Amino acid sequence: MSNDRIAFTVGPVLYYWPRKTLIEFYAGIAESPADTVVLGEVVCSRRHEMKLDDWCDLARDLAAAGKEVVLASQALIESEAELRSLRRMAEQGDFLVEAGDASALRLLAGRPFVLGPHVNVYSRPALAEHARLGAVRWVAPLELPLDAIARINPPEQPVCTLRNEPLVTEVFGFGRLPLAFSARCFTARHYHLPKDECGFRCIEHPDGLLLSTTEGEPFLALNGIQTQSAAQHCLIGEAQALRAAGVRRVRLSPCSQRFIEVLHWFDRVYHQGARVDEARIALDALSLPGGLVNGFAHRQAGLQQVFA
């Protein structure tokens, strides 16, 4: 990989999709421009279409297709059963693991791992501390602007890993922003069901359950215990700014609607010289309700779109 090439990471599917849908989706990803694929259930352990062994089998298939594979742990651990699953994931030695929260750090300490976007790292000393634990890649928190990311892990003087190699910065570049997690399941509450008897209703909403303002404008999306933005964060026009900030990877978060086309548009703009305005028009036409935004990257409100 050349030093100025930005690699593409397909983030974990945040929604509850049927097993067949997942298998078909990743068959397409295997033939896509994606460099890395993150697999695993990061939102709710009650989702049972895929277990850890299933994810590992899928990981081996994707690795055979030439993709780097990372296994992602949950972002909110609430039970001993979830801890047992996390231990199993940490103990397997075939694939890197992405730490979803601090509970994973102790289990992964001393071996290479990816620092997920929901681990709070907002300074260079904090990033260096996690690098000493074994972090080799940092997925920056979603709300960090690009100039702050450049100061935390500057390209000219990056934080170093235990192997004395530059720690790689990855940025969330496309998808509904996962804003918060709660012990309460909002999807179950919407249907007036208790969390433990939810009937797995979130499988009916492949891109989350849309919430609108009283004026009818898309505002948030409910995804089980996760709250997301309705709009999709999109850094299709920020390739130059990302390179200047030392970002080596961009994460694209899957959606159910024509996601492979999104990947190809990013590849055309980032690596083949396609026009950004043309790509924005195409992606906006593909977008979920709420449209495209990029405010966080530019120190603006997250629901704004800034044209560089």
Side-chain angles (χ1 to χ4, degrees), residues 234 236-237 258 261 265 269 275-287 291-292 305 307:
C234 180
I236 191 71
R258 301 162 73 179
E261 292 182 48
W265 272 112
V269 171
R275 291 169 55 92
V276 173
D277 55 353
E278 180 184 0
R280 278 203 181 102
I281 292 170
L283 292 182
D284 201 40
L286 297 176
S287 182
L292 304 177
Q305 183 168 182
F307 296 97

Side-chain angles (χ1 to χ4, degrees), residues 137-287:
R137 188 179 305 161
W138 170 50
V139 186
L142 312 176
E143 70 275 19
L144 270 180
L146 295 182
D147 61 343
I149 291 170
R151 288 196 297 273
I152 293 170
N153 195 29
E156 67 278 3
Q157 192 179 2
V159 171
C160 286
T161 68
L162 289 175
R163 297 180 180 178
N164 202 33
E165 298 172 345
L167 187 145
V168 174
T169 298
E170 181 173 310
V171 165
F172 191 100
F174 182 85
R176 280 185 163 162
L177 290 161
L179 300 173
F181 294 84
S182 171
R184 173 176 290 175
C185 178
F186 297 110
T187 304
R189 184 177 178 84
H190 171 79
Y191 287 106
H192 307 289
L193 296 168
K195 179 180 179 181
D196 292 338
E197 299 174 17
C198 64
F200 309 105
R201 298 298 293 270
C202 53
I203 205 168
E204 301 171 15
H205 303 282
D207 292 297
L209 178 61
L210 185 67
L211 291 183
S212 298
T213 65
T214 53
E215 291 79 18
E217 295 295 322
F219 178 47
L220 296 172
L222 301 182
N223 178 36
I225 67 169
Q226 183 184 69
T227 303
Q228 301 178 325
S229 63
Q232 293 181 101
H233 187 66
C234 180
L235 300 185
I236 191 71
E238 278 76 11
Q240 183 176 349
L242 289 166
R243 291 186 179 97
V247 175
R248 296 283 302 280
R249 291 176 168 272
V250 166
R251 175 167 298 203
L252 293 85
S253 186
C255 57
S256 69
Q257 302 180 20
R258 301 162 73 179
F259 180 73
I260 301 297
E261 292 182 48
V262 174
L263 265 172
H264 281 289
W265 272 112
F266 268 81
D267 186 49
R268 291 180 193 127
V269 171
Y270 278 44
H271 304 140
Q272 300 175 36
R275 291 169 55 92
V276 173
D277 55 353
E278 180 184 0
R280 278 203 181 102
I281 292 170
L283 292 182
D284 201 40
L286 297 176
S287 182

